[in-house]
């Protein structure tokens, strides 16, 4: 990941927020909404992708249960998948 580079012609990478075994978390600007967002980028490995999809399912379930938007839970806005 390169600072000032763009992902999907929409998200500009501003800084690296953290690293893990599975991937990285980037601070990005969404040029469509002008919002700052955190983007989790998973390493290109099927095992990691499977774990990430399990995390996505959990986030979707938590968001569905939090209809009033009062829980202190990360809100996933979009899932972008690139095959490399």
């Amino acid at each position: 990941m390169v600072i000032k580079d763009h992902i999907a012609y929409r998200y500009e990478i501003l800084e690296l927020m953290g690293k893990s075994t599975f991937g990285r978390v980037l601070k990005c600007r969404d040029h469509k909404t002008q919002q700052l967002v955190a983007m989790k980028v998973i390493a290109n490995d099927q095992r990691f992708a499977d774990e990430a999809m399990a995390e996505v399912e959990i986030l979707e379930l938590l968001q569905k249960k939090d209809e009033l938007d009062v829980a202190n839970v990360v809100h996933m806005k979009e899932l972008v998948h690139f095959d490399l």
Side-chain angles (χ1 to χ4, degrees):
M1 302 287 119
V2 178
I3 304 299
K4 297 293 183 189
D5 206 356
H6 286 76
I7 298 172
Y9 302 103
R10 178 173 173 179
Y11 302 98
E12 179 182 358
I13 302 170
L14 301 177
E15 67 180 81
L16 174 65
M17 294 177 71
K19 296 188 226 185
S20 72
T21 303
F22 295 142
R24 295 183 162 95
V25 176
L26 308 172
K27 178 179 179 180
C28 298
R29 175 166 311 280
D30 180 344
H31 284 284
K32 184 175 182 180
T33 65
Q34 297 307 311
Q35 290 181 316
L36 293 176
V37 298
M39 179 178 290
K40 188 170 188 176
V41 179
I42 305 302
N44 190 19
D45 182 299
Q46 190 58 49
R47 294 171 297 156
F48 299 153
D50 292 342
E51 290 294 325
M53 289 311 297
E55 185 176 343
V56 165
E57 290 174 12
I58 292 167
L59 283 174
E60 288 173 339
L61 178 64
L62 290 171
Q63 283 179 284
K64 194 178 292 185
K65 296 286 185 183
D66 184 26
E67 293 175 3
L68 300 177
D69 194 21
V70 294
N72 193 14
V73 176
V74 171
H75 288 266
M76 185 175 67
K77 296 184 178 269
E78 184 177 6
L79 173 64
V80 180
H81 185 267
F82 292 98
D83 286 322
L84 299 176

